[in-house]
Amino acid sequence: VEVTIPIYDRFNALDVIGPYEVLRHLPDTRVVLVAAEPGPISTEDGAVTLLAEHSLSEAPAPDVVLVPGGAGEATVREGGPIMDWLVEVNKTSEYTASVCTGALILAAAGLLTGRRATTYWLALDQLSSLGAEAVRERFVFDGKFATSAGVSAGIDMSLALAARIAGDAVAQTIQLAIEYDPQPPFDAGSEFSAPAASVEWLRKRSRF
Amino acid sequence: VEVTIPIYDRFNALDVIGPYEVLRHLPDTRVVLVAAEPGPISTEDGAVTLLAEHSLSEAPAPDVVLVPGGAGEATVREGGPIMDWLVEVNKTSEYTASVCTGALILAAAGLLTGRRATTYWLALDQLSSLGAEAVRERFVFDGKFATSAGVSAGIDMSLALAARIAGDAVAQTIQLAIEYDPQPPFDAGSEFSAPAASVEWLRKRSRF
């Protein structure tokens, strides 16, 4: 299985690395990071820089394409090589997926029109305005399109994707391999469980 | 808060990026990746390469030092610059932490002797033989030492660490910021919940 993840300036690192750590354990699988130009690409705060090994044109037909979110998505979806590439690779991909605000990129490329999809909790209205049927779920499959809620949700979605590709037993073994038995010290991971002050704080600073 | 994460050849990417995505949201905080030599450092399968921005000597006194695991840990704990650096920075760190088999590095450096600590489920005996009191928990604090179970457990531990550093309210806001409301599609993340076949498969292939 060829899994290709396009990265771009100011992507979110966990959106990429969560799915990578799940999907790389699939049998006969290779995960490849690509970018408009190969080379170093940095996250929002510049603290983490990943190397994109290949250009988009060197990854013409992935089985799975997975688009991360991050502050830089707003620039990506204005148009350019990643948008054009997504439309092309989506024609032959087995699955087209996104994490967090990566769904806004897929939607802006016209790939989620009329489809059930999800994204970061603060970006659901934006996803809707881009033509998708935005739903508030941890992850959503609609045909070959798999979208997930914010950042950490890419891990959950990727385990479900792994099960569809290779079966439940393989996905369960992967879950144990990354010891994914989550025990967050607080119950504050959703808009409905978090303290009102946390919701307000993030809402006020949201770019959506 | 200065958070320094040493990386090394064949580290685990999620061990680094999970905590990074949590701790970078702490107020007035900078996360820095360091290595014996600055430059590109690759994971086990070579698919992900992170740039270490600084050498160890350029990060002489972090407030938090966090050691990731990965297949390469076995080489690190044979001795060398990272081991020497850890002993030095631990003298002044506010917290010294590890994810997954990163605990074996701390233990081999003599920093966990007699302390309660945890690690990847397959490495608990090894941790014990390196002098720690190995316990099977999601994460453990013993004084300033914070250790976590495998790979994904670094996220849980880092939220608890964030709470100690900046208070529960800040940690809860961070949890919502990364929408960490885990909903794995299977209950297979621990040795006790996973199917016996998954446990056996991983146990047989374990290097411990």
Side-chain angles (χ1 to χ4, degrees), chain A residues 20 45 50 138 173 179 198, chain B residues 20 45 50 138 173 179 198:
Chain A
Y20 157 71
D45 67 352
L50 292 189
R138 189 67 177 159
T173 302
E179 207 163 343
S198 296
Chain B
Y20 156 73
D45 66 353
L50 291 188
R138 189 68 178 159
T173 302
E179 207 163 343
S198 297

Side-chain angles (χ1 to χ4, degrees), chain A residues 27-99:
Chain A
D28 303 314
T29 292
R30 194 172 74 127
V31 180
V32 182
L33 303 189
V34 300
E37 302 289 334
I41 312 277
S42 293
T43 54
E44 207 169 329
D45 67 352
V48 165
T49 299
L50 292 189
L51 282 191
E53 255 189 294
H54 297 285
S55 69
L56 298 168
S57 59
E58 291 172 306
D63 301 302
V64 177
V65 55
L66 186 146
V67 183
E73 63 77 18
T75 306
V76 172
R77 64 183 153 94
E78 286 171 5
I82 287 184
M83 298 291 277
D84 300 340
W85 177 82
L86 283 171
V87 170
E88 274 308 301
V89 296
N90 181 64
K91 291 177 182 165
T92 53
S93 65
E94 197 177 340
Y95 290 99
T96 296
S98 65
V99 177

Side-chain angles (χ1 to χ4, degrees), chain A residues 12-14 20-21 31 43 45 49-51 120-121 138 150 152 156 173 175 177-180 183-184 186 198, chain B residues 12-14 20-21 43 45 49-51 120-121 138 150 152 156 173 175 177-181 183-184 186 198:
Chain A
N12 180 289
L14 188 51
Y20 157 71
E21 287 290 358
V31 180
T43 54
D45 67 352
T49 299
L50 292 189
L51 282 191
Y120 189 52
W121 63 282
R138 189 67 177 159
S152 59
D156 296 326
T173 302
Q175 186 175 350
I178 63 166
E179 207 163 343
Y180 186 48
Q183 296 170 34
F186 305 101
S198 296
Chain B
N12 180 289
L14 188 51
Y20 156 73
E21 288 290 357
T43 55
D45 66 353
T49 299
L50 291 188
L51 282 190
Y120 190 52
W121 63 283
R138 189 68 178 159
S152 59
D156 296 326
T173 302
Q175 185 176 349
I178 63 167
E179 207 163 343
Y180 185 48
D181 180 30
Q183 296 169 36
F186 305 101
S198 297

